């Protein structure tokens, strides 16, 4: 019995788009997570936030199809 495995070139994602080699990802530390949370109010006050409409429009542009919101 033979088995087939799906292999992808390191520079190709599942959508077939080429991208640069990404660095190895490492998990966040609890300190980093807490620091990000602590910065949130300043980000909101400075306008460094996105609406769901902006996020879904960006996804559509980047991925080529419309993302559907599950939010009411």
């Amino acid at each position: 019995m033979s088995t087939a495995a799906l292999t992808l070139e390191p520079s190709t994602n599942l959508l077939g788009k080429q991208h640069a080699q990404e660095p190895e990802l490492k998990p966040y530390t609890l300190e980093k997570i807490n620091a990000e949370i602590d910065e949130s109010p300043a980000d909101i006050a400075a306008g460094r936030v996105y609406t769901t409409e902006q996020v879904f429009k960006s996804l559509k542009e980047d991925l080529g199809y419309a993302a559907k919101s599950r939010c009411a």
Side-chain angles (χ1 to χ4, degrees), residues 26-40:
K26 296 180 182 177
Y28 279 106
T29 64
L30 186 57
E31 291 79 13
K32 176 67 175 167
I33 293 170
N34 286 330
E36 293 286 334
I37 292 170
D38 291 343
E39 291 176 11
S40 296

Side-chain angles (χ1 to χ4, degrees), residues 14-64:
L14 291 175
L15 297 175
K17 293 183 180 181
Q18 297 293 318
H19 58 85
Q21 185 67 28
E22 295 180 12
E24 180 180 341
L25 300 177
K26 296 180 182 177
Y28 279 106
T29 64
L30 186 57
E31 291 79 13
K32 176 67 175 167
I33 293 170
N34 286 330
E36 293 286 334
I37 292 170
D38 291 343
E39 291 176 11
S40 296
D43 288 336
I44 293 167
R48 292 186 295 263
V49 295
Y50 299 95
T51 65
T52 54
E53 290 83 10
Q54 290 171 315
V55 171
F56 287 118
K57 180 181 178 189
S58 177
L59 285 171
K60 182 179 180 181
E61 292 169 356
D62 291 347
L63 302 177

